Amino acid sequence: MWGEHRYAVRSTWTGDRGTGTSGYRDYDRAVTIEIDGKPALAASADKPFRGDPSRWNPEDMLVAALSECHLLSYLHACVQAGVVVVGYEDEASGLMVEDGRGGGAFREVVLRPRVTVADASMTDAATAAHAQAAEWCFIANSVNFPVRHEPTIVVASS
């Protein structure tokens, strides 16, 4: 599976209120994100930037991408390590800091996966699999800030 993989997304601004971008407060930040064959995603800016808080924003999607990428990489690492995962939830969070010049950057993202394994004998390997997943995660390997992991491993009740 070596090679290059390309991804195409169509982003369409749908927030023209009739006067375009005639002023900072004169337009909506509504965006529709589409990928052929998938449901459209309603997006916007984050609320502090005059966006609609009921829609996904780029910062949400970045944290979500890191969380999902780690999850999928982790499940693969567990298969290779002989760990049977029967549940996985992540309470991920990201810290973005504005620079005072209109820009900003993420400082870190923390993933807090709660992993449920089938047997107590698997807990050490389940914990270790997070390091392998971090090495494999394409998204985490593409960002210029730390992605930390604070996992909890629990055993499924019999």
Side-chain angles (χ1 to χ4, degrees), residues 136-152:
W136 287 343
C137 178
F138 301 131
I139 308 301
N141 288 325
S142 300
V143 298
N144 65 351
F145 53 83
V147 178
R148 294 190 301 112
H149 310 93
E150 297 176 358
T152 301

Side-chain angles (χ1 to χ4, degrees), residues 66-126:
L66 286 162
S67 177
E68 183 183 0
C69 187
H70 184 80
L71 181 159
L72 295 170
S73 298
Y74 179 78
L75 295 178
H76 179 68
C78 284
V79 168
Q80 289 199 330
V83 174
V84 178
V85 174
V86 297
Y88 186 112
E89 296 176 2
D90 185 12
E91 295 288 332
S93 63
L95 173 64
M96 186 189 74
V97 178
E98 292 181 67
D99 64 12
R101 299 183 315 262
F106 271 82
R107 291 287 166 88
E108 73 171 357
V109 166
V110 180
L111 306 179
R112 294 178 185 87
R114 179 178 168 85
V115 179
T116 305
V117 296
D119 187 85
S121 65
M122 300 174 177
T123 57
D124 289 343

